[in-house]
Amino acid sequence: MMLIAGMIALALGTYAFRWSGPALRDRIRFPARTIQLLEVGAVVLLAALVAVTALPTASGHFGFALPAGVLVAALLAWRKRPILLVILAAAATTALLRLLGLP
């Protein structure tokens, strides 16, 4: 019963967060400096996520295939290609390098 109550609470909280953005859009104004810091913070968090995901260190095995796939994805994203193409190209690059026997 406690698990169901937790699931319901998280679902309601998620719904409230998603609803609050459009509901409060016209009521709250942030200074330009705050908006700039939030944008930079988002980029830093995404870069950290990519670094943590692309460079596995827990297994002690650092291969070339995974960072190469991330590099392909970064290059395609920088060139503003569709997200589906970015994901498929990164996965294909990683899979091909592993198939060829590169770590």
Side-chain angles (χ1 to χ4, degrees):
M1 188 64 169
M2 197 66 166
L3 178 63
I4 293 173
M7 289 171 51
I8 291 172
L10 285 174
L12 290 174
T14 300
Y15 181 75
F17 274 122
R18 293 184 63 94
W19 175 80
S20 66
L24 299 175
R25 180 176 299 158
D26 296 329
R27 294 182 179 182
I28 297 176
R29 295 283 179 219
F30 290 105
R33 178 75 175 145
T34 303
I35 292 172
Q36 183 183 15
L37 288 175
L38 288 172
E39 289 172 354
V40 170
V43 171
V44 168
L45 285 174
L46 286 174
L49 177 65
V50 167
V52 168
T53 305
L55 305 173
T57 57
S59 66
H61 178 69
F62 183 78
F64 174 72
L66 186 59
V70 171
L71 184 65
V72 167
L75 179 67
L76 290 174
W78 178 59
R79 305 274 293 162
K80 296 187 179 174
R81 299 295 185 242
I83 189 69
L84 183 60
L85 178 67
V86 171
I87 293 169
L88 290 176
T93 301
T94 303
L96 183 63
L97 289 175
R98 287 184 178 168
L99 182 67
L100 294 174
L102 296 173

